[in-house]
């Protein structure tokens, strides 16, 4: 979906296909047919943006077969879809029964991450619509925090510097500008936007900035105005923003609140949980540790890294951090010029919701994704953006 900002520039809104994970090219093609096109039709749109997730095997198949890449581009066009952004965070196995810590591997200290992200940039340059010159790829924020020392950081930043050089060369070759966004996430070495500033200013390249995920921002209790002001002052670009909402518990000391939270503790993904204290942020790596008791103080609200559907917050006594998304979006796009042009709804946890909340079939899932995009569209038009055909 495209929108015209009051400054005349185009803002792109997509939804991320990691909600229908596929490891192979055939699986990606099936996604377009079985999920993406039905969502577009529900929205009554001639064109729908998708934030494509290409696992390593799918990306390799496209890199090694130019005819397959041309065929994918043709299929995207034929189904009324377009791609201006890729989700390069998960490398492979995102559809596994247990993802947890595996999603952070390989990290930016390993050559496979540089090779894969370089491939994604090349593929995106070929998949961009003819009238779009800029693309974005989100990626993990260097590494999970454990076993990450100064030597590891030097290795990771050297890899990103090499990537920036490759992106420069790619633009010279194709005329397409691809930028990379590190996605701050709780538990990682770059957990917050503040953590991103030092390494990214060290790199000193406009090719690498941040992917601002509003669920992660909220989970870490970051203040959106403070975060965006600091990024702007440091000259760190917001390459893209992921529109998502975290799980919020206002009174975690109450037994009924603990029971409600426990329903969201599931075996597939990590749900890092945080609370603010006088001594600073406290947290656990996963929700079960928090609800079991004793690991976190419970005198102040808790937030958990669980991407809940934007249009359907959980029932009381829980809620979502949709207000954080709203305020962040207003800061990003409510001013005289956009601070980013790429937006992506990224609720990948539909099938991880408590059983009674999960969509029972493809049609119900498409309904839910369309409802999320409708909410995002309404937020944008409320800010003065005009939806384009």
């Amino acid at each position: 979906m495209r929108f015209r900002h009051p400054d005349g520039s185009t803002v792109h809104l997509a939804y991320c296909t990691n909600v229908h994970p596929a490891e192979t090219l055939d699986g990606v093609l099936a996604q377009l047919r079985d999920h993406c096109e039905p969502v577009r039709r529900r929205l009554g749109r001639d064109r729908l943006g998708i934030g494509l997730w290409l696992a390593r095997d799918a990306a390799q198949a496209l890199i090694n077969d130019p005819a397959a890449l041309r065929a994918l581009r043709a299929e995207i066009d034929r189904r009324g879809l377009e791609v201006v952004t890729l989700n390069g965070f998960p490398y492979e196995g995102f559809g596994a029964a247990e993802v947890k810590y595996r999603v952070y591997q390989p990290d930016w200290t390993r050559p496979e991450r540089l090779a894969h992200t370089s491939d994604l940039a090349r593929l995106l340059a070929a998949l961009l619509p003819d009238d779009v010159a800029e693309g974005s790829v989100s990626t993990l924020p260097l590494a999970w925090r454990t076993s990450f020392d100064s030597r590891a950081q030097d290795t990771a930043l050297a890899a990103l510097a090499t990537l920036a050089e490759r992106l420069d060369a790619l633009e010279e070759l194709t005329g397409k500008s691809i930028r990379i966004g590190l996605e701050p996430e709780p538990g990682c070495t770059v957990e917050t936007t503040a953590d991103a500033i030092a390494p990214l200013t060290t790199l000193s390249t406009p090719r690498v900035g941040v992917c601002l995920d509003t669920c992660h921002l909220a989970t870490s209790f970051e203040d959106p105005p403070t975060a965006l002001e600091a990024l702007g002052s440091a000259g760190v670009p917001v390459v893209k923003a992921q529109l998502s909402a975290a799980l919020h518990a206002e009174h975690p000391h109450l037994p009924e609140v603990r029971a409600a939270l426990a329903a969201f503790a599931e075996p597939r993904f990590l749900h890092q949980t945080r609370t603010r204290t006088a001594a600073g942020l406290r947290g656990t790596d996963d929700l079960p540790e928090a609800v079991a008791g004793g690991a976190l103080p419970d005198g102040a609200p808790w937030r958990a890294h669980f991407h809940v559907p934007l249009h359907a917050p959980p029932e009381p006594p829980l809620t979502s951090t949709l207000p954080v998304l709203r305020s962040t979006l207003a800061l990003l796009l409510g001013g005289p010029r956009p601070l980013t042009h790429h937006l992506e709804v990224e609720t990948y946890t539909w099938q991880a919701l408590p059983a009674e909340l999960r969509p029972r079939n493809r049609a119900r899932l498409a309904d839910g994704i369309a409802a999320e995009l409708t909410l995002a569209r309404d937020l944008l038009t409320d800010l003065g953006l005009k939806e384009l055909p």
Side-chain angles (χ1 to χ4, degrees):
M1 300 167 74
R2 298 187 184 193
F3 297 81
R4 182 76 67 209
H5 190 272
D7 78 339
S9 64
T10 300
V11 172
H12 295 268
L13 172 66
Y15 90 89
C16 186
T17 64
N18 64 356
V19 65
H20 338 282
E23 300 291 316
T24 66
L25 180 54
D26 285 344
V28 171
L29 294 170
Q31 286 176 349
L32 305 182
R33 178 193 67 229
D34 296 338
H35 300 287
C36 302
E37 185 176 10
V39 171
R40 177 183 66 77
R41 292 186 181 280
R42 278 164 172 75
L43 292 166
R45 303 288 304 169
D46 293 332
R47 172 176 52 193
L48 175 66
I50 55 171
L52 202 58
W53 176 59
L54 296 172
R56 179 199 61 178
D57 288 351
Q60 281 294 299
L62 293 167
I63 285 289
N64 294 329
D65 187 349
L69 179 55
R70 290 192 296 270
L72 174 61
R73 168 69 184 269
E75 186 71 356
I76 288 169
D77 293 342
R78 187 173 77 83
R79 296 197 179 277
L81 308 170
E82 67 177 9
V83 177
V84 303
T85 188
L86 299 181
N87 188 328
F89 196 132
Y91 181 76
E92 62 185 354
F94 202 61
E98 182 177 330
V99 178
K100 298 289 184 180
Y101 295 95
R102 292 171 52 191
V103 75
Y104 306 106
Q105 294 296 330
D107 62 31
W108 274 101
T109 66
R110 293 172 56 185
E112 304 98 295
R113 176 61 65 172
L114 172 59
H116 178 60
T117 311
S118 300
D119 286 345
L120 293 180
R122 289 173 55 195
L123 294 173
L124 181 56
L127 293 173
L128 284 175
D130 292 339
D131 63 342
V132 175
E134 296 185 357
S136 60
V137 180
S138 49
T139 188
L140 83 160
L142 301 186
W144 185 252
R145 70 181 185 278
T146 53
S147 303
F148 193 83
D149 56 18
S150 59
R151 178 179 295 182
Q153 175 151 311
D154 290 344
T155 301
L157 294 183
L160 285 168
T162 298
L163 176 65
E165 293 172 357
R166 293 178 181 178
L167 297 178
D168 288 340
L170 183 64
E171 184 172 11
E172 288 187 16
L173 180 66
T174 66
K176 304 291 189 179
S177 173
I178 309 298
R179 296 192 298 167
I180 306 299
L182 300 186
E183 184 182 329
E185 176 164 312
C188 292
T189 185
V190 175
E191 173 158 340
T192 65
T193 56
D195 294 334
I197 290 173
L200 291 179
T201 52
T202 298
L203 278 175
S204 188
T205 170
R207 296 287 185 192
V208 185
V210 298
C211 168
L212 192 64
D213 185 300
T214 57
C215 171
H216 303 173
L217 188 82
T219 300
S220 293
F221 287 89
E222 288 199 75
D223 175 60
T226 301
L228 287 168
E229 182 179 357
L231 291 172
S233 296
V236 175
V238 180
V239 171
K240 95 183 201 188
Q242 288 175 327
L243 309 184
S244 54
L247 197 60
H248 180 94
E250 186 69 18
H251 302 293
H253 65 285
L254 297 175
E256 61 268 29
V257 175
R258 292 290 182 97
L261 282 169
F264 287 83
E266 52 83 35
R268 187 169 174 188
F269 300 111
L270 276 186
H271 301 295
Q272 301 93 317
T273 304
R274 299 289 184 267
T275 188
R276 282 187 296 193
T277 73
L281 207 62
R282 290 275 304 277
T284 62
D285 281 357
D286 211 351
L287 186 54
E289 303 168 52
V291 297
L296 280 185
D298 58 11
W302 289 1
R303 289 177 178 172
H305 173 216
F306 195 117
H307 291 222
V308 295
L310 302 186
H311 68 293
E315 292 292 323
L318 304 179
T319 187
S320 81
T321 60
L322 184 62
V324 176
L325 185 160
R326 291 178 183 271
S327 62
T328 304
L329 198 60
L331 293 165
L332 288 170
L333 295 165
R337 62 178 184 84
L339 301 185
T340 188
H341 289 88
H342 291 177
L343 306 173
E344 180 181 71
V345 171
E346 199 218 10
T347 305
Y348 60 86
T349 43
W350 281 94
Q351 299 303 335
L353 289 167
E356 67 276 11
L357 301 178
R358 294 174 197 166
R360 295 191 295 272
N361 51 46
R362 289 177 185 169
R364 293 290 181 87
L365 177 58
D367 290 342
I369 293 169
E372 289 193 293
L373 287 166
T374 297
L375 183 149
R377 179 197 64 196
D378 292 345
L379 292 177
L380 292 175
T381 55
D382 287 347
L383 291 171
L385 281 73
K386 180 181 179 182
E387 188 176 6
L388 298 175

